[in-house]
Coordinates of all heavy atoms in Angstrom, one line a residue:
D52 N 233.7 79.5 44.0 CA 232.3 79.7 44.2 C 231.5 78.6 43.5 O 230.4 78.2 44.0 CB 232.0 81.1 43.6 CG 230.5 81.4 43.9 OD1 230.1 81.4 45.1 OD2 229.8 81.7 42.9
Q65 N 241.1 92.6 50.4 CA 241.6 93.4 51.4 C 242.8 92.8 52.1 O 243.9 93.4 52.3 CB 240.5 93.7 52.4 CG 239.4 94.6 51.9 CD 238.2 94.7 52.9 OE1 238.4 94.7 54.1 NE2 237.0 94.6 52.3
A67 N 244.5 90.0 51.0 CA 245.5 89.7 50.0 C 246.3 91.0 49.5 O 247.5 91.0 49.4 CB 244.9 89.1 48.7
T72 N 251.2 94.3 49.7 CA 251.9 95.6 50.1 C 253.0 95.3 51.1 O 254.1 95.9 50.9 CB 250.9 96.6 50.7 OG1 249.8 96.8 49.8 CG2 251.6 97.9 51.1
K78 N 260.5 94.1 50.6 CA 261.3 93.5 49.6 C 261.6 92.0 50.0 O 262.7 91.5 49.9 CB 262.6 94.2 49.4 CG 262.4 95.6 48.9 CD 263.8 96.3 48.7 CE 263.6 97.6 47.9 NZ 262.7 98.6 48.4
V82 N 258.5 83.4 51.6 CA 257.2 83.5 52.2 C 256.7 82.1 52.5 O 256.9 81.2 51.8 CB 256.2 84.3 51.3 CG1 254.8 84.3 52.0 CG2 256.6 85.7 51.1
E84 N 253.1 80.1 53.8 CA 251.7 80.2 54.0 C 251.2 78.9 54.6 O 251.4 77.8 54.0 CB 250.9 80.5 52.7 CG 249.4 80.5 52.8 CD 248.7 80.7 51.5 OE1 249.1 80.0 50.5 OE2 247.8 81.5 51.4
E98 N 252.5 86.9 42.9 CA 252.5 87.9 41.8 C 253.4 89.1 42.1 O 253.9 89.7 41.2 CB 251.1 88.4 41.5 CG 250.2 87.3 40.8 CD 248.8 87.8 40.6 OE1 248.4 88.8 41.2 OE2 248.0 87.1 39.8
D103 N 263.1 85.6 41.7 CA 263.8 84.6 42.4 C 263.2 84.3 43.8 O 263.8 83.7 44.6 CB 265.3 85.0 42.6 CG 265.5 86.3 43.3 OD1 264.5 87.0 43.5 OD2 266.6 86.5 43.8
M111 N 246.2 70.4 53.0 CA 246.0 69.0 53.1 C 244.6 68.5 52.5 O 244.3 67.3 52.4 CB 246.0 68.5 54.5 CG 244.9 69.0 55.4 SD 245.1 68.4 57.1 CE 244.9 66.6 56.8
R114 N 240.5 68.7 47.5 CA 239.6 69.5 46.6 C 240.1 70.9 46.5 O 240.1 71.5 45.4 CB 238.2 69.5 47.3 CG 237.4 68.2 47.2 CD 236.0 68.3 47.7 NE 235.2 69.1 46.8 CZ 234.0 69.6 47.1 NH1 233.5 69.5 48.4 NH2 233.3 70.3 46.3
C122 N 244.5 76.8 38.7 CA 244.6 78.3 38.5 C 246.1 78.6 38.4 O 246.5 79.5 37.6 CB 243.9 79.0 39.6 SG 242.1 78.7 39.7
A124 N 248.5 76.9 37.2 CA 249.0 76.5 36.0 C 248.9 77.6 34.9 O 249.8 77.6 34.0 CB 248.4 75.2 35.5
V143 N 255.2 71.5 58.7 CA 255.9 72.8 59.1 C 257.1 72.5 59.9 O 258.1 73.3 59.9 CB 254.9 73.8 59.8 CG1 254.6 73.3 61.2 CG2 255.4 75.2 59.7
G148 N 265.3 76.7 57.3 CA 265.6 78.1 57.0 C 264.6 79.0 57.6 O 263.6 78.6 58.3
K149 N 264.8 80.3 57.4 CA 263.9 81.3 57.9 C 263.0 82.0 56.8 O 263.4 82.0 55.6 CB 264.7 82.4 58.6 CG 265.6 82.0 59.7 CD 264.9 81.7 61.0 CE 265.8 81.4 62.1 NZ 265.1 81.2 63.4
K159 N 242.1 76.9 63.3 CA 242.2 77.9 64.4 C 242.4 77.2 65.8 O 243.1 77.9 66.6 CB 240.9 78.7 64.4 CG 240.4 79.3 63.1 CD 241.5 80.0 62.3 CE 241.0 80.4 61.0 NZ 242.0 80.3 59.9
L178 N 257.7 89.3 59.4 CA 256.3 89.5 59.9 C 255.5 88.2 59.9 O 255.7 87.4 59.0 CB 255.5 90.5 58.9 CG 256.1 91.9 58.8 CD1 255.2 92.6 57.8 CD2 256.0 92.6 60.2
E192 N 233.5 86.4 73.5 CA 232.7 85.6 74.4 C 233.6 84.4 74.9 O 233.4 84.0 76.1 CB 231.5 85.1 73.6 CG 230.7 86.2 73.0 CD 229.7 85.7 72.0 OE1 229.7 84.4 71.7 OE2 228.9 86.5 71.5
R206 N 247.5 86.5 72.7 CA 248.1 86.9 74.0 C 249.6 86.5 74.0 O 250.4 87.1 74.6 CB 247.3 86.3 75.2 CG 246.0 87.0 75.3 CD 245.4 86.7 76.7 NE 244.1 87.4 76.8 CZ 244.0 88.7 77.1 NH1 245.1 89.5 77.3 NH2 242.8 89.3 77.2
E210 N 252.4 89.2 74.7 CA 253.2 89.2 75.9 C 254.6 88.8 75.6 O 255.4 88.7 76.6 CB 252.5 88.2 76.9 CG 251.2 88.7 77.4 CD 250.4 87.6 78.1 OE1 250.9 86.5 78.3 OE2 249.2 87.9 78.5
V221 N 240.4 94.4 59.9 CA 240.2 94.1 58.4 C 239.5 92.7 58.3 O 239.9 91.7 58.9 CB 241.6 94.0 57.7 CG1 241.4 93.5 56.3 CG2 242.3 95.3 57.8
L225 N 242.9 90.7 61.6 CA 244.2 90.3 61.3 C 245.2 90.7 62.4 O 245.1 91.9 62.9 CB 244.7 91.0 60.0 CG 244.3 90.5 58.6 CD1 244.8 91.4 57.5 CD2 244.7 89.1 58.4
R231 N 261.3 91.3 66.5 CA 262.3 92.3 66.7 C 263.7 91.8 66.4 O 264.0 90.6 66.5 CB 262.3 92.8 68.2 CG 261.0 93.4 68.6 CD 261.1 93.8 70.0 NE 259.8 94.1 70.6 CZ 259.1 95.2 70.6 NH1 259.7 96.2 69.9 NH2 258.0 95.4 71.2

Side-chain angles (χ1 to χ4, degrees):
D52 185 57
Q65 295 170 37
T72 300
K78 295 181 170 55
V82 175
E84 179 183 43
E98 289 177 348
D103 61 343
M111 66 179 297
R114 290 186 68 195
C122 298
V143 75
K149 302 284 187 178
K159 313 309 175 217
L178 299 175
E192 303 165 358
R206 291 196 178 278
E210 295 169 1
V221 175
L225 280 178
R231 301 181 195 271

